[in-house]
Amino acid sequence: MSTILDFCTFYAEGHGAPLNLVAPKSKYTKEEFLEECNAEAAEYEYALGEVKEAHCKWFVNERFYSFCKPGKGAFPVWYCDINP
């Protein structure tokens, strides 16, 4: 499955506090993702959790990406929690 999602930040309610750094597994190895996370953490002074795997999908009507269960329209991602 092809996706336009790239390395990005998920925010609370779409515009609040940053919650997660996310990237598709089809575009990043775990090591590449971790390298991007560390660069982002250094720039914004984030404390990060460990790298985990999940699934995301584009919710057309709501116009956003979100975590979801594996299934139709879902694709695998790496993610890392941003800890306050």
Side-chain angles (χ1 to χ4, degrees), residues 1 8 10 13 20 31 41 51 54-55 63-64 69 72:
M1 158 152 266
C8 67
F10 281 13
E13 304 298 321
N20 316 96
E31 294 76 21
V51 175
H55 284 80
R63 300 180 54 146
F64 64 80
K69 294 182 179 185
K72 185 177 179 181

Side-chain angles (χ1 to χ4, degrees), residues 7-9 18-22 32-51 80-84:
F7 184 89
C8 67
T9 305
L19 297 176
N20 316 96
L21 298 175
V22 183
E32 291 168 334
F33 176 67
L34 185 56
E35 186 176 315
E36 290 281 344
C37 287
N38 288 334
E40 194 86 358
E43 182 175 348
Y44 294 101
E45 299 180 2
Y46 292 151
L48 300 175
E50 62 186 71
V51 175
C80 191
D81 293 330
I82 298 171
N83 301 317

Side-chain angles (χ1 to χ4, degrees), residues 57-82:
K57 73 186 280 187
W58 174 249
F59 291 87
V60 176
N61 293 338
E62 294 84 359
R63 300 180 54 146
F64 64 80
Y65 284 100
S66 185
F67 292 115
C68 65
K69 294 182 179 185
K72 185 177 179 181
F75 54 92
V77 295
W78 301 112
Y79 79 97
C80 191
D81 293 330
I82 298 171

